[in-house]
Amino acid sequence: MPMISLTAADGHRLSAYRTGPQNAARALVVVQEIFGVNRHMRNVADRFAAEGYAVIAPALFDRVAPGIELGYEAADVAQGRELRGRIQDGLTVLDILAAAAALPRGVKRGIVGYCWGGTVTWHGATRTSAFGAASCWYGGGIAAAKDEQPRCPVQMHFGETDASIPMSDVDAIRTAQPGVEVHVYAGAGHGFGCDERGSFSAKDAAVAQRRTLEFFGKNL
C-alpha cells in the first residue's frame, strides 16, 4: 500500500495514501469520511488517479488514533463519530495543508471530500488559499459555517433524503452562497456515493462523479 508520512505545521506526523502519476498536471487532496482512509477511500483516490490526477488522502484520525480503518456497521459509525468529535477543525485544516504541500510542485490543486471530509473540504476552500477548486459531498457541518467566504470555486452535492442534512440546511447554504454550485439528488440519502454502504446510489454517484470531474476540469 503506497502510504507516505506527512508533517503538519504544528509538528504532528500523519500517514496518507498517495496514488496517481507524479508528473500529473493536476492534483487532488481527497478527504475521508468518519471511517478513516479505509478501502473505500483508497478506491475513491484510485479512481481520481485513473483520471490522471496525482492524489493524496491524509489520515485525519491519526491525530487521536493512528491507523484507524472502519467499516459501515452501527458500531463503526459510533466509533467514527466519537473519534471525529475529539479533533478540532483547525487541526484538520493543518492536515489537509500538509497533504496539499506534498502534492507535485507547481501543479493546480483541488480538494474533494465526503461526509466529514465534505465539511473539511469547505474549510479548505474558506480558511486556506491552497486550492483552486473544491467539491464537497454531503458535508454535514457546512451549514454551520455557511457564512464563511470561499477563496476558490466550490461545488456541493447533497442527498434529498439525507437524515443528517435536512433540506432546510441546504436551502440556507444556497441563500448564503449564491456563487456556489449546489446539486441535490432526488431520493438519495447520506453517503450515496459510497459503494460499500446501504445508502449507495449507483446512478446518483455516477452523476455526482461526472459533475465533480467536469468541475475540476474547468477550474484546475
Side-chain angles (χ1 to χ4, degrees):
M1 190 186 304
M3 300 298 289
I4 62 172
S5 179
L6 306 175
T7 302
D10 65 343
H12 168 66
R13 292 182 66 83
L14 66 153
S15 61
Y17 180 73
R18 181 170 65 187
T19 184
Q22 293 307 293
N23 62 347
R26 295 181 294 211
L28 292 176
V29 172
V30 171
V31 194
Q32 66 176 69
E33 305 167 303
I34 59 167
F35 306 101
V37 182
N38 60 5
R39 178 177 62 187
H40 169 64
M41 290 314 303
R42 295 192 297 271
N43 287 340
V44 168
D46 287 340
R47 284 196 287 270
F48 283 112
E51 297 288 341
Y53 288 86
V55 182
I56 291 181
L60 302 186
F61 280 162
D62 279 10
R63 287 276 175 184
V64 292
I68 290 290
E69 292 186 33
L70 302 176
Y72 297 94
E73 302 300 323
D76 297 305
V77 173
Q79 185 178 358
R81 286 176 174 166
E82 189 273 332
L83 291 170
R84 182 262 172 275
R86 291 164 55 191
I87 302 174
Q88 298 174 13
D89 290 343
L91 298 180
T92 62
V93 169
L94 296 184
D95 292 348
I96 62 172
L97 286 174
L103 290 168
R105 290 183 180 274
V107 303
K108 296 180 179 179
R109 301 178 300 194
I111 183 169
V112 57
Y114 308 81
C115 178
W116 176 32
T119 301
V120 175
T121 294
W122 176 242
H123 295 160
T126 62
R127 302 179 185 182
T128 84
S129 299
F131 304 102
S135 181
C136 313
W137 292 48
Y138 33 81
I142 295 174
K146 67 184 185 302
D147 295 321
E148 298 184 17
Q149 293 306 306
R151 305 179 191 181
C152 66
V154 178
Q155 179 187 72
M156 296 184 184
H157 306 271
F158 297 101
E160 181 189 36
T161 63
D162 190 325
S164 61
I165 307 175
M167 282 297 97
S168 58
D169 279 5
V170 177
D171 291 340
I173 293 166
R174 278 181 161 144
T175 299
Q177 298 292 338
V180 169
E181 180 183 321
V182 178
H183 299 285
V184 174
Y185 299 81
H190 190 74
F192 68 82
C194 177
D195 56 9
E196 297 193 23
R197 302 177 76 167
S199 57
F200 176 60
S201 170
K203 171 178 66 72
D204 295 314
V207 172
Q209 182 71 355
R210 175 179 57 78
R211 286 171 168 165
T212 297
L213 289 169
E214 289 174 351
F215 178 75
F216 286 141
K218 179 175 67 175
N219 291 293
L220 295 181

